[in-house]
Amino acid sequence: MGRLAVVAIGGNSLITDPKNPDIPHQWEAVRETCGHLADMVVAGWQVVIVHGNGPQAGYSLRRSELAAHEVHQMPLDLIVAQTQGAIGYMLQQGLSNELHVRRRPRTVVTLVTQVEVDKDDPAFAEPVKPIGGFMSEAEARLFEAEGWQVVEDAGRGWRRVVASPQPQYIVEQEAIGQLIKSGAIVIAVGGGGIPVRVNEYGKLEGVYAVIDKDRAASLLAQQLGADLFLISTAVPRVAIHYNTLQQQDLTQMSLGEARRYMADGHFSPGSMRPKVEAVVDFVTATDQLAIITNPKNIGRALAGQGGTRIIR
């Protein structure tokens, strides 16, 4: 078995054109991403894939709202499970086909994954995780009147927010490990995992929350003892002074630099900050390498010629 890499793919990176988020265009993005993942496999990496589901979960939520007069609405934990299956299927098929074309066939498996959170996590008292599509402030205030909490998101519009508790334990972790040992490429912890907690009877139950997929992927990478944690997102490198005349793209960050940039407010809580927090947690716990880049630069980043490398 080769070196183990946990690769976290953003839900937005699977929708390359926001004006064309339909399924055929998502398939195009998935196939492109799977080409870069196949490069890693051919290069000898044992890959575990974690994917985001933000836009897709938002679409499912909107469909549920529009159909509420006809059928029951879908709770959030089932929406996460649903998108795990759908996006996992697309990645599973796309990567299997790509490896078949390269005559390097491998078993690719999608595992519906639950992630346990603490029922007393303070995040439940302060929802911050954006969900659903962007809205005008007027539209947001209508949802607020229905009991939702709403926030302005990084200058891009208004969105609803839900709790984003810290992942504590990946319920299917042992099964993921066994699949890796069998030689399979595993797609797991999609959308950050289905958030569950242990109830008063000692049984698991879903909770109304969304777990940040980068934090969950970091936890998985730590618990699997991964040699590399790679976050594939919409930008080629992490930047400070982002979207200003002083923007500075970073080829490398030490842990100290990353923490200082976070303390100085360089990374948006709804965008880059959770990614930087996730890689800092991984590197701190393992002393291994973490990289943040976009799909088309994965190969260059692994060769030390692209992306942002986070080191101790």
Side-chain angles (χ1 to χ4, degrees):
M1 187 173 70
R3 294 169 296 169
L4 178 62
V6 172
V7 181
I9 301 170
N12 283 302
S13 71
L14 301 178
I15 298 178
T16 54
D17 182 0
K19 295 181 179 179
N20 293 287
D22 57 2
I23 299 301
H25 283 91
Q26 288 191 46
W27 269 114
E28 289 179 12
V30 164
R31 292 183 184 112
E32 179 182 347
T33 296
C34 286
H36 303 304
L37 294 172
D39 289 340
M40 291 187 69
V41 175
V42 171
W45 288 94
Q46 176 72 29
V47 178
V48 176
I49 302 164
V50 176
H51 62 79
N53 69 342
Q56 296 85 354
Y59 298 144
S60 293
L61 181 64
R62 184 62 179 148
R63 290 189 195 99
S64 182
E65 292 167 348
L66 290 171
H69 64 288
E70 293 281 345
V71 294
H72 62 275
Q73 293 200 49
M74 289 279 285
L76 196 51
D77 57 337
L78 290 187
I79 287 176
V80 175
Q82 189 179 65
T83 55
Q84 278 191 2
I87 300 171
Y89 155 68
M90 295 173 81
L91 289 167
Q92 180 175 315
Q93 186 184 97
L95 187 52
S96 294
N97 286 342
E98 184 68 28
L99 291 171
H100 177 76
V101 168
R102 300 186 190 202
R103 298 185 178 181
R104 298 290 291 273
R106 292 281 295 278
T107 299
V108 186
V109 177
T110 300
L111 186 66
V112 174
T113 316
Q114 304 170 93
V115 175
E116 189 176 330
V117 300
D118 185 346
K119 62 182 178 61
D120 297 319
D121 191 305
F124 288 109
E126 189 177 353
V128 296
K129 184 69 173 178
I131 187 171
F134 291 100
M135 303 172 284
S136 67
E137 183 175 1
E139 292 172 314
R141 296 307 177 196
L142 292 175
F143 277 108
E144 189 175 46
E146 295 177 5
W148 289 88
Q149 289 191 251
V150 296
V151 297
E152 198 274 334
D153 183 16
R156 297 177 292 179
W158 288 77
R159 297 178 78 181
R160 290 167 285 179
V161 289
V162 297
S164 183
Q166 292 288 336
Q168 300 294 325
Y169 176 71
I170 296 165
V171 176
E172 286 78 20
Q173 177 188 326
E174 184 176 345
I176 294 169
Q178 290 298 324
L179 286 166
I180 293 169
K181 288 179 181 178
S182 77
I185 296 168
V186 186
I187 302 164
V189 196
I194 305 163
V196 297
R197 66 182 180 186
V198 178
N199 65 20
E200 63 269 30
Y201 305 106
K203 297 181 178 180
L204 293 175
E205 62 181 12
V207 297
Y208 195 81
V210 172
I211 300 171
D212 182 86
K213 75 85 172 82
D214 295 311
R215 293 193 178 105
S218 177
L219 176 63
L220 178 64
Q222 293 171 50
Q223 295 184 343
L224 292 177
D227 301 289
L228 169 69
F229 176 35
L230 189 151
I231 296 180
S232 174
T233 186
V235 294
R237 283 192 169 119
V238 178
I240 56 175
H241 305 292
Y242 180 69
N243 210 23
T244 71
L245 294 176
Q246 292 77 40
Q247 178 171 325
Q248 178 184 349
D249 293 344
L250 305 173
T251 59
Q252 183 169 287
M253 284 191 296
S254 68
L255 291 178
E257 288 169 334
R259 292 182 179 118
R260 186 170 71 250
Y261 293 145
M262 286 192 287
D264 290 344
H266 281 288
F267 308 130
S268 168
S271 181
M272 187 56 69
R273 185 181 179 94
K275 295 173 174 53
V276 175
E277 290 176 339
V279 294
V280 165
D281 287 347
F282 172 75
V283 176
T284 299
T286 67
D287 270 344
Q288 299 294 339
L289 175 67
I291 296 174
I292 299 177
T293 192
N294 59 356
K296 68 180 181 180
N297 279 297
I298 288 176
R300 294 182 67 246
L302 290 173
Q305 299 170 354
T308 301
R309 301 166 75 86
I310 296 85
I311 61 171
R312 180 171 289 280

